Amino acid sequence: MVGMTTEASRRVLLAAPRGYCAGVDRAVITVEKALEQYGAPVYVRKQIVHNKYVVQTLEKKGAIFVDETEEVPEGSIVIFSAHGVAPVVHEEAGARRLATIDATCPLVTKVHREAVRYADSDYDILLIGHEGHEEVIGTMGEAPERTHLVDGPADVAGLTVRDENKVVWLSQTTLSVDETMETVDALKDRFPNLLSPPSDDICYATQNRQVAIKQIAADADLVIVVGSRNSSNSIRLVEVALQAGAGAAYLVDFADEIDEAWLEGVRTIGVTSGASVPEILVDGVLEWLAARGYGDVQVVTSTEEHIQFSLPKELRRDLRAEATAGETS
Ligand code: SF4
């Protein structure tokens, strides 16, 4: 029994938008279509997206996830994950005669291009991001000599650049908007001529999910974020919810990770999910909550999303060739 609240007073505020973004949707469909087109196994370097359920589901269909291209048998097909890869990874794959399909999100590719452009113009790049995250490793790999990682304001004092008047900041796509701006402010204090990128690097999906959870967090005694522990944007949602006034906030992969004790005295529960989370996992959480008296679900929509990305060109080419062969046979 959930103490101190009556069922009539309990409710769930469900954030929208939540869950799959266009880059994740594209990456997951890429693996599914590749399996259909070429047959299993298809190798995938790193988790295609940072979600346990998605990875397990694709494994069952015949995808083999590896950490490095050297684990892929020569001549096989390998898909690069949505987080992007450094150019050296493309070279390694070429050396092993691997057929590559690049499922890097176009919004990550945009940051790679910026890094190349500023490095070519002789800038030092201050990349705001989390050390060790795959996306950061990939972006830094575009211009390793020119790029400095800034993992928060505390890193700013220790930076050494070649020319303080030729520095630009870029960022990982899945950071907290507010925290990133704090780091940018610290960078501007240190480098008054710091150049800003022409447009936001934190992607639309990350921003929209943070705005959506902020709208409900202050009214929520508890926020449940569905997402995996290695999902940067999902972890940020927990932090943003707490900063915006949620009584408590937790990250769960599946409904069965919710602790009944979290519900003690709780009337309003906010629910959202990270950009790599399929809706079926949110449904599982809503069912779990409904079974405990939280069946009143109100969707709180902050914005509508209509972005879609076309599949990687290597895959589209083969799918087209197949369709044409089907027409002529
Ligand atoms: S979170 Fe943003 S950058 Fe990452 S895959 Fe989704 S749309 Fe692309």
Side-chain angles (χ1 to χ4, degrees):
M1 156 175 160
V2 181
M4 308 302 289
T5 63
T6 61
E7 180 148 354
S9 67
R10 294 180 207 145
R11 62 176 182 161
V12 171
L13 300 179
L14 182 59
R18 63 180 175 281
Y20 267 22
C21 60
V24 164
D25 194 38
R26 170 184 189 259
V28 173
I29 293 174
T30 296
V31 179
E32 289 170 350
K33 292 262 181 216
L35 283 164
E36 280 169 28
Q37 176 75 11
Y38 311 111
V42 162
Y43 291 82
V44 184
R45 183 183 177 278
K46 308 283 184 193
Q47 293 193 348
I48 185 72
V49 299
H50 285 157
N51 185 268
K52 222 187 234 180
Y53 174 88
V54 171
V55 169
Q56 286 168 354
T57 307
L58 291 172
E59 268 173 346
K60 281 185 203 140
K61 292 181 179 174
I64 297 178
F65 291 88
V66 296
D67 267 329
E68 294 305 335
T69 36
E70 65 189 25
E71 297 167 53
V72 182
E74 291 222 4
S76 310
I77 296 169
V78 64
I79 299 174
F80 294 144
S81 79
H83 308 99
V85 294
V88 70
V89 175
H90 282 281
E91 287 160 24
E92 286 164 9
R96 293 184 66 74
R97 295 184 305 103
L98 304 179
T100 58
I101 300 175
D102 191 353
T104 302
C105 176
L107 299 181
V108 174
T109 302
K110 167 189 155 285
V111 185
H112 280 230
R113 291 217 181 96
E114 285 171 351
V116 170
R117 188 155 55 85
Y118 286 115
D120 286 350
S121 305
D122 215 24
Y123 276 81
D124 273 33
I125 297 160
L126 309 178
L127 179 66
I128 303 173
H130 295 303
E131 186 161 17
H133 190 277
E134 278 150 41
E135 182 187 321
V136 162
I137 293 168
T139 307
M140 290 192 82
E142 292 288 356
E145 314 285 309
R146 296 267 189 276
T147 312
H148 311 262
L149 181 63
V150 188
D151 196 344
D155 278 0
V156 174
L159 290 168
T160 311
V161 297
R162 291 166 308 147
D163 178 353
E164 302 215 338
N165 294 310
K166 263 203 130 177
V167 281
V168 61
W169 71 272
L170 300 178
S171 88
Q172 192 179 332
T173 56
T174 50
L175 301 179
S176 148
V177 176
D178 297 336
E179 281 179 13
T180 302
M181 291 332 283
E182 278 172 33
T183 307
V184 171
D185 288 344
L187 286 171
K188 281 184 177 158
D189 285 345
R190 167 93 204 270
F191 305 110
N193 290 329
L194 179 72
L195 194 67
S196 296
S199 63
D200 285 330
D201 288 337
I202 299 179
C203 75
Y204 81 96
T206 299
Q207 299 195 30
N208 287 348
R209 280 149 192 70
Q210 288 175 17
V211 169
I213 195 61
K214 269 187 192 176
Q215 278 203 341
I216 58 178
D219 292 328
D221 307 305
L222 165 70
V223 165
I224 295 174
V225 178
V226 188
S228 290
R229 271 160 193 75
N230 61 344
S231 162
S232 172
N233 80 88
S234 303
I235 297 167
R236 302 290 86 77
L237 288 172
V238 173
E239 295 169 355
V240 168
L242 289 170
Q243 282 156 8
Y250 299 100
L251 186 66
V252 299
D253 255 303
F254 303 102
D256 63 10
E257 291 174 11
I258 303 172
D259 186 337
E260 301 252 4
W262 298 347
L263 306 181
E264 194 64 33
V266 162
R267 288 170 190 267
T268 302
I269 302 177
V271 174
T272 189
S273 55
S276 44
V277 177
E279 194 61 9
I280 189 172
L281 301 181
V282 177
D283 292 342
V285 165
L286 295 178
E287 279 165 27
W288 190 98
L289 292 174
R292 285 150 186 86
Y294 295 88
D296 171 15
V297 178
Q298 299 164 29
V299 178
V300 181
T301 304
S302 56
T303 188
E304 305 273 343
E305 289 179 345
H306 303 284
I307 294 183
Q308 269 192 322
F309 297 131
S310 53
L311 291 174
K313 60 181 184 316
E314 313 86 315
L315 184 59
R316 268 186 286 141
R317 181 195 58 211
D318 288 352
L319 293 173
R320 227 178 6 241
E322 168 100 334
T324 312
E327 278 163 25
T328 51
S329 62

